[in-house]
Amino acid sequence: MKAFFSSPRTYPQIDRMWRQIVFAAAFSVLALLTLMILVLLFGALSFLRHHGVISTLLGREWDPGRGQLQIGLFVVESAVVAGLAMLVAVPFGLGVAIFGTQVAVGFERHGLRWTLTIASAVPSVAYGWWGLAVVVPGLRGLGGGSGYSLLAAGLVLALMILPTFSVLAMEALSQVPEDWHQASLALGANDDQNLVRLVLPASLPGLRLAFLTALARAVGETMAVQMVIGGTAARFHGLFGPGATLTTQILTDMAILPNGSSDHGVLDLMAMVLFVGVTAMTGWVGYGQGRAEK
Amino acid sequence: MTWLMRMILALGLLLTPGARPDASITVMGATSLLSYARAVVSGWARQHPEIRVAISGGGSYAGWYGLAAGHADIALSDLDLGRGPAVNERRLGQMPILFVANPENGVESVTRRDLVRIFSGRVHHWQALGGNPRPIRLVARPSGSGARAVVSQSLGETPRHLAQIIQLSNGAVVRAVEETPGAIGYVEGDRRWPGVVTLRIGGQAYRPGSRGWPFYAFPRIYWRQAASPAVFSLVSALAHSSLARSFGIFPRTGS
Amino acid sequence: MSTTTKLRLEGVSVWYGAQMALRDISLQVPQGVVLALIGPSGCGKSTLLRVVNRLVERSPGAKVQGRVWLDNEDILRRDMDVAQLRRRVGMIFQRPTPFPFSIFDNVAYGPRLHGVKDPVGLRRVVEDSLKQAALWDEVRGKLRRPASGLSGGQQQRLALARALAVDPEVILLDEPTSALDPGAAARIEELVVKLKGRYTVVIVTHNLQQAARVSDLTGFIQAGALIELGETSLIFTAPRDQRTEAYLTGQLE
């Protein structure tokens, strides 16, 4: 006992155990992820072996009951809905973040951050309800259609990702050190120049991360979108018309293409397309970042 | 590295399916039959405390494939999925399909021919059916739903260029119909939904057991011929339960 | 040495909330001269610099009284164009503060703020400024690399180049070498000496030898008050005030 307390021994076996635990955790996460992707990939590829790649990805004939399984329409509508959401959420969120970090002080600032953090933790179904109660009726009056529409889905998503994006953007903007602010002001910058020429460019990496996180949330969201998008899978009905995204159509047609059915692979393919799309976006944005640092 | 091997092995064992004890039964299938199945199972399980029963949805097809793959012991369906090899089928009776409409459409009764015209897009205004001047909006269930199969069998497929609003459950259909002016949709089961008008068809309102109602789904259950006695016992309970009527499932009247 | 007064403070006092940071400071800095401000930590030296380019107003609760004249223009007056003032009065901070941009963009930051767009002109300004800051030889051909890759001493010279690029009249140096190793500090000192004459320089420093080496005038500040101001050689050899002598000997021992 005495030796235990008096000598500053190291405990190699404990160190090693910790290393193993950490390594095992990292390894199992990686293994599960790989397994998941492999399962999807296997399903997707075996589906594509029996169906044309081009016609499947670009065609828009969808009727799983009759074996018509072309997903082009959902790819386009996924992109439209996510694009709409980003188009609305990014400028607004940036505005909120700028207000929150450059203008608001003390209570306002903390209150804003607190509110946004809470809002970003609200389950997506709640945003779906809000969409049903407000957005769908509102668009019905505006667009003349039923209100269930791509636009409704885009707006609901925009509201859903706004807090996430704003909080992360606030985080990014507030990472700009006071030293830099002062150095910029000391060179004769006014507040607007400070923002445009220093704060925004300097926090670009953080803003990119915020953008990607929001985008991934928008692309992957299913429930809130399903509640307001209308779910028509046959053709493009315009922004005010109903539609379906990759995620909502997976949800809808899981019933007719369950695990074990011969065409189930098309759902794997749809998930794979989502996965590849988001990964490509990440890579693209990351590439931009790499270039900017050169 | 041996610990790593052991870990992989353990992980593999955890993920291996099929290590189920005999004393459990999985019921899987049509969402419209889930509440009925739950009610029957809770009574049955009291007499068979040694057996665990798991109930999950996923739709008629999912139940069918689950049965084929061995994940499920009993499949619930509101569609006729045909007969697989070594699979038993039992019909539970019939479940009405009701048409519901937004109250402001100004139409409370339609003919079967009207419905054909509505769901084929040949008429797209309630005014043409004696109602208020507003466009008709179709609310439908996804392909794979039993209700949709019955409706399209009976009225013909809705042309694909029509913008239908797809909803995933009876409740969601009713909600969309209630909220959307001009909407019409269909739901399974004998239930009065508030907020919407349940349409009379050919002047007739649906009554339990009434002859001549044109829209019925015929729910059924499937199980493997080589099932355990416990499965047969539960099948029999599902087939003969007196609870069926309170869930809108009635003996067949023959139509 | 010219006799025109470039910078003149008249009865300047500064409070942070209720706390007084500077007490009734009056001093004059002739054109082209280097003034060193010495004194114990927290005595108000840095605050004095921040009054001259009005960065002090950024601190919450700061209140300034008195007059500051730059070329006979009252720069504390309400309608003073602060951005214009700061263009004329450059400042280098204790810690090097390169922006997270390329070396070129760091130096071009100021000129761009003031509307220089022409690429040829910008390039010339950047090159001249880097040469003046004795950094050109080390970064030539690497102007597109991130400034964060430079060493601490290089970063501080970059900050100087950045300040020089807007062609200021007065340069304020706030302990510019305290974060640097002796070699890098020596190079900055050389630069300060070189800048003398063309620019009016006020340097705050803890390093008394540095003050003695680079400055023409030295002021000793203690507890917010200017105790003594005079020719550097006189202050260091024969201070008139006992407090100055106590500080100098206490530090030099």
Side-chain angles (χ1 to χ4, degrees):
Chain A
M1 253 349 233
K2 198 179 163 216
F4 185 92
F5 282 112
S6 57
S7 71
R9 275 185 63 182
T10 55
Y11 294 91
Q13 61 274 49
I14 291 183
D15 276 359
R16 214 178 61 215
M17 198 181 78
W18 272 117
R19 251 204 312 278
Q20 287 181 355
I21 288 175
V22 171
F23 183 76
F27 175 81
S28 38
V29 166
L30 216 71
L32 278 177
L33 207 69
T34 314
L35 198 70
M36 216 172 75
I37 292 172
L38 283 180
V39 167
L40 284 183
L41 198 65
F42 178 76
L45 288 182
S46 53
F47 176 82
L48 284 180
R49 261 224 316 271
H50 304 292
H51 300 73
V53 176
I54 305 283
S55 62
T56 299
L57 291 178
L58 301 182
R60 44 179 227 193
E61 294 302 322
W62 179 262
D63 193 347
R66 302 217 164 112
Q68 290 184 315
L69 301 159
Q70 302 179 340
I71 63 173
L73 184 69
F74 311 130
V75 174
V76 170
E77 294 191 346
S78 275
V80 167
V81 169
L84 276 174
M86 296 305 280
L87 212 63
V88 176
V90 167
F92 263 90
L94 209 54
V96 169
I98 288 170
F99 174 80
T101 54
Q102 315 294 310
V103 183
V105 284
F107 174 75
E108 275 177 352
R109 187 168 180 165
H110 291 295
L112 187 67
R113 189 185 289 258
W114 188 79
T115 311
L116 289 173
T117 308
I118 298 286
S120 63
V122 169
S124 57
V125 170
Y127 287 100
W129 282 329
W130 174 80
L132 280 179
V134 180
V135 179
V136 170
L139 288 180
R140 188 184 302 137
L142 209 69
S146 63
Y148 293 89
S149 56
L150 298 181
L151 190 56
L155 291 178
V156 167
L157 276 185
L159 192 85
M160 196 186 90
I161 61 179
L162 184 65
T164 311
F165 180 76
S166 308
V167 163
L168 291 176
M170 258 178 101
E171 201 53 49
L173 294 187
S174 60
Q175 293 297 313
V176 175
E178 173 65 15
D179 285 1
W180 291 355
H181 279 273
Q182 295 205 4
S184 169
L185 293 176
L187 286 166
N190 58 34
D191 286 341
D192 291 344
Q193 288 175 320
N194 214 21
L195 178 67
V196 174
R197 290 171 182 271
L198 173 70
V199 176
L200 290 181
S203 42
L204 210 55
L207 291 178
R208 280 203 180 94
L209 187 71
F211 182 90
L212 276 181
T213 309
L215 181 72
R217 239 198 124 178
V219 171
E221 177 55 34
T222 309
M223 205 53 221
V225 176
Q226 171 62 33
M227 289 167 81
V228 300
I229 199 170
T232 304
R235 61 144 73 176
F236 188 69
H237 290 282
L239 287 186
F240 283 94
T245 66
L246 286 166
T247 52
T248 64
Q249 204 58 34
I250 290 175
L251 179 69
T252 306
D253 284 337
M254 235 157 34
I256 195 169
L257 301 170
N259 214 339
S261 61
S262 58
D263 289 334
H264 178 74
V266 76
L267 299 186
D268 292 333
L269 176 67
M270 287 156 84
M272 205 63 210
V273 167
L274 272 175
F275 177 75
V276 169
V278 172
T279 308
M281 277 310 260
T282 314
W284 178 59
V285 173
Y287 174 73
Q289 186 166 339
R291 275 172 59 99
E293 273 167 14
K294 274 231 172 109
Chain B
M1 263 342 207
T2 45
W3 65 272
L4 191 64
M5 298 298 212
R6 256 179 265 144
M7 185 153 288
I8 293 172
L9 196 66
L11 209 71
L13 282 178
L14 279 176
L15 296 173
T16 310
R20 226 175 27 239
D22 279 349
S24 86
I25 298 178
T26 302
V27 180
M28 193 172 162
T31 43
S32 56
L33 296 172
L34 280 187
S35 45
Y36 170 64
R38 275 199 198 98
V40 173
V41 162
S42 74
W44 184 85
R46 248 174 272 135
Q47 291 152 18
H48 302 80
E50 75 284 3
I51 294 171
R52 263 184 318 159
V53 183
I55 304 180
S56 67
S60 304
Y61 289 94
W64 176 255
Y65 285 108
L67 193 65
H71 306 312
D73 301 296
I74 298 176
L76 308 169
S77 171
D78 49 8
L79 283 162
D80 182 1
L81 296 170
R83 284 256 181 129
V87 167
N88 289 337
E89 176 199 42
R90 174 138 212 163
R91 301 189 181 197
L92 293 181
Q94 59 190 18
M95 233 175 158
I97 290 176
L98 308 179
F99 285 82
V100 291
N102 188 287
E104 289 161 40
N105 298 347
V107 171
E108 304 208 331
S109 178
V110 290
T111 64
R112 200 168 171 284
R113 224 182 112 252
D114 290 338
L115 287 176
V116 171
R117 290 164 71 207
I118 289 172
F119 279 87
S120 64
R122 261 175 283 159
V123 53
H124 28 248
H125 233 266
W126 286 108
Q127 230 166 352
L129 301 170
N132 294 326
R134 53 183 49 173
I136 293 174
R137 304 200 185 286
L138 304 180
V139 181
R141 298 283 306 277
S143 34
S145 128
R148 173 155 168 166
V150 170
V151 169
S152 46
Q153 250 166 41
S154 175
L155 303 178
E157 285 275 346
T158 299
R160 293 161 46 71
H161 64 84
L162 289 185
Q164 303 186 74
I165 298 162
I166 307 292
Q167 295 292 347
L168 297 187
S169 66
N170 284 340
V173 166
V174 169
R175 162 102 211 218
V177 169
E178 182 185 353
E179 292 284 323
T180 312
I184 177 172
Y186 47 82
V187 289
E188 266 172 323
D190 177 23
R191 188 174 155 187
R192 298 296 135 199
W193 296 93
V196 292
V197 172
T198 304
L199 295 176
R200 292 196 303 276
I201 296 177
Q204 182 192 19
Y206 172 78
R207 297 257 181 289
S210 64
R211 292 183 170 272
W213 183 257
F215 303 99
Y216 280 113
F218 300 102
R220 42 198 104 206
I221 49 182
Y222 296 94
W223 68 99
R224 283 188 295 277
Q225 279 166 4
S228 66
V231 169
F232 277 95
S233 162
L234 181 53
V235 164
S236 157
L238 283 166
H240 299 295
S241 173
S242 56
L243 293 170
R245 284 165 178 274
S246 57
F247 287 91
I249 304 169
F250 293 90
R252 294 192 66 170
T253 50
S255 53
Chain C
M1 201 175 297
S2 155
T3 49
T4 351
T5 298
K6 185 69 184 174
L7 186 66
R8 186 154 54 93
L9 277 70
E10 263 179 32
V12 170
S13 298
V14 175
W15 291 263
Y16 292 122
Q19 198 194 344
M20 198 167 198
L22 283 181
R23 188 187 308 268
D24 193 25
I25 304 263
S26 297
L27 60 82
Q28 294 187 15
V29 189
Q31 164 77 40
V33 149
V34 176
L35 164 68
L37 294 175
I38 58 171
S41 294
C43 69
K45 309 180 297 275
S46 295
T47 299
L48 194 119
L49 293 190
R50 280 156 196 272
V51 169
V52 176
N53 70 356
R54 289 184 59 170
L55 262 187
V56 70
E57 292 160 20
R58 210 177 146 73
S59 310
K63 204 181 82 177
V64 182
Q65 225 177 49
R67 290 273 172 91
V68 177
W69 306 89
L70 181 67
D71 286 340
N72 301 319
E73 187 181 3
D74 177 9
I75 60 167
L76 291 187
R77 69 175 198 272
R78 202 174 283 270
D79 63 347
M80 181 73 201
D81 179 348
V82 179
Q84 190 56 36
L85 166 70
R86 289 175 184 158
R87 192 185 166 174
R88 294 169 62 193
V89 181
M91 183 162 182
I92 313 297
F93 299 82
Q94 182 174 354
R95 277 192 298 156
T97 50
F99 298 142
F101 311 141
S102 68
I103 294 170
F104 184 92
D105 289 341
N106 262 279
V107 182
Y109 187 87
R112 281 179 177 146
L113 284 181
H114 304 299
V116 180
K117 288 203 180 85
D118 154 49
V120 181
L122 267 182
R123 233 199 123 68
R124 203 177 48 238
V125 171
V126 169
E127 185 177 332
D128 287 350
S129 308
L130 285 169
K131 278 178 177 162
Q132 258 193 297
L135 192 58
W136 176 249
D137 292 337
E138 290 153 67
V139 300
R140 133 193 288 165
K142 304 173 191 166
L143 296 183
R144 292 289 159 202
R145 301 212 180 151
S148 53
L150 297 175
S151 72
Q154 288 174 324
Q155 289 185 2
Q156 197 61 301
R157 276 180 281 146
L158 180 71
L160 188 61
R162 191 171 63 191
L164 292 175
V166 295
D167 197 19
E169 298 157 29
V170 176
I171 297 175
L172 310 172
L173 300 158
D174 190 0
E175 300 186 32
T177 62
S178 63
L180 304 182
D181 63 68
R187 302 208 57 176
I188 300 281
E189 281 184 24
E190 284 168 32
L191 277 170
V192 174
V193 174
K194 267 207 278 182
L195 296 175
K196 194 184 292 190
R198 178 160 176 200
Y199 304 95
T200 306
V201 178
V202 183
I203 178 170
V204 163
T205 179
H206 269 122
N207 181 334
L208 297 177
Q209 286 103 323
Q210 182 175 74
R213 281 193 295 265
V214 303
S215 68
D216 306 304
L217 299 174
T218 296
F220 172 57
I221 297 179
Q222 192 178 42
L226 180 64
I227 306 297
E228 188 171 353
L229 176 76
E231 297 234 350
T232 298
S233 51
L234 287 176
I235 292 276
F236 278 91
T237 51
R240 278 164 296 160
D241 197 292
Q242 276 209 318
R243 288 169 292 182
T244 315
E245 189 170 358
Y247 178 72
L248 290 175
T249 50
Q251 290 288 314
L252 289 170
E253 256 166 21

